[in-house]
Amino acid sequence: MEDCIFCKIAVKETQAEIVYEDEQFIVFPDSNPKAPFHVLLIPKKHIPSLREVGEDDMELMGRLLLTAQKVAQENHLKGYKLAMHVGKEGGQEVDHLHLHLLAG
Amino acid sequence: MEDCIFCKIAVKETQAEIVYEDEQFIVFPDSNPKAPFHVLLIPKKHIPSLREVGEDDMELMGRLLLTAQKVAQENHLKGYKLAMHVGKEGGQEVDHLHLHLLAG
């Protein structure tokens, strides 16, 4: 998606500090952190929000939660909070599905 | 799990207003709502938290997010927020994995 700022991060057109990356996901710090540790996990595939997720992406969604678990482990987080905003009315600010991971 | 209050809801030993139910999940109102619409989605299977989720449960986790999408649709929510607390230090209050769905 040409105009998606998160897609630009995924393809490295926009620079970000990469906290974690694999074939399916990229994780980088939230630009407006609400906690000492606050990163965003995004699938590299452009999906606007959870509303647009279909059966075909179910495994990707499961992997998203397991990736959050992995990032938390790698960063030695004792406890953490995950949050996902869905739709403008739900507080979603960028139209590319993303999961917040906060701790500290 | 004998002493788990969410397992008791899952097996109907403790009564709750059931918002949604299928073979794998049950959804009921949060007893201390933080929004006009605030329900908890839990897998019927006892998993203490996301920390204990393994590869075998990846599909269950994907289905959990799709179930949140379904419950939101069924309740005509325009936008919504999902949240999951992991571990006591992450604000988790009941040791049975649960996803908050809030709107309004």
Side-chain angles (χ1 to χ4, degrees):
Chain A
M1 290 289 289
E2 247 176 54
D3 295 329
C4 172
I5 59 169
F6 285 177
C7 281
K8 284 182 180 171
I9 289 174
V11 299
K12 316 281 170 72
E13 200 181 309
T14 297
Q15 223 180 344
E17 180 198 331
I18 296 169
V19 173
Y20 173 86
E21 183 177 10
D22 62 25
E23 271 183 36
Q24 293 177 297
F25 301 99
I26 192 161
V27 180
F28 52 90
D30 191 295
S31 60
N32 183 19
K34 302 285 192 295
F37 186 92
H38 185 178
V39 299
L40 301 180
L41 294 88
I42 68 166
K44 291 183 174 177
K45 176 181 175 181
H46 183 80
I47 303 172
S49 82
L50 185 65
R51 289 191 289 214
E52 286 78 24
V53 168
E55 290 288 325
D56 289 352
D57 291 314
M58 192 173 71
E59 198 177 316
L60 187 74
M61 291 300 99
R63 179 62 65 194
L64 175 66
L65 291 178
L66 279 181
T67 302
Q69 180 203 64
K70 192 174 183 176
V71 170
Q73 277 172 351
E74 286 181 357
N75 288 277
H76 312 290
L77 306 180
K78 277 198 176 171
Y80 53 96
K81 185 186 162 188
L82 302 178
M84 186 185 287
H85 300 274
V86 187
K88 199 170 284 179
E89 300 85 351
Q92 187 176 350
E93 290 177 359
V94 175
D95 289 336
H96 183 127
L97 188 150
H98 53 286
L99 182 68
H100 295 261
L101 167 52
L102 304 105
Chain B
M1 291 287 290
E2 246 175 55
D3 294 329
C4 172
I5 58 168
F6 284 177
C7 282
K8 283 183 181 171
I9 289 174
V11 299
K12 316 281 169 73
E13 199 181 313
T14 298
Q15 223 179 346
E17 180 198 330
I18 296 170
V19 174
Y20 173 86
E21 183 177 9
D22 61 26
E23 272 183 34
Q24 293 177 299
F25 300 99
I26 192 160
V27 180
F28 52 89
D30 191 294
S31 61
N32 183 19
K34 303 283 192 296
F37 186 92
H38 185 179
V39 298
L40 301 179
L41 293 88
I42 67 166
K44 290 182 174 177
K45 175 182 174 180
H46 184 80
I47 304 172
S49 82
L50 186 64
R51 289 192 288 216
E52 287 77 24
V53 168
E55 290 288 326
D56 289 352
D57 292 315
M58 192 173 71
E59 197 178 317
L60 188 73
M61 291 299 99
R63 179 61 67 192
L64 175 65
L65 291 178
L66 279 181
T67 302
Q69 181 203 65
K70 193 174 182 175
V71 170
Q73 277 172 352
E74 286 181 357
N75 287 277
H76 313 289
L77 306 180
K78 277 198 177 172
Y80 52 98
K81 186 187 163 186
L82 302 178
M84 186 187 286
H85 299 274
V86 186
K88 200 171 284 181
E89 300 86 349
Q92 188 176 351
E93 291 178 358
V94 176
D95 289 336
H96 182 127
L97 188 150
H98 53 287
L99 182 68
H100 295 261
L101 166 52
L102 304 105

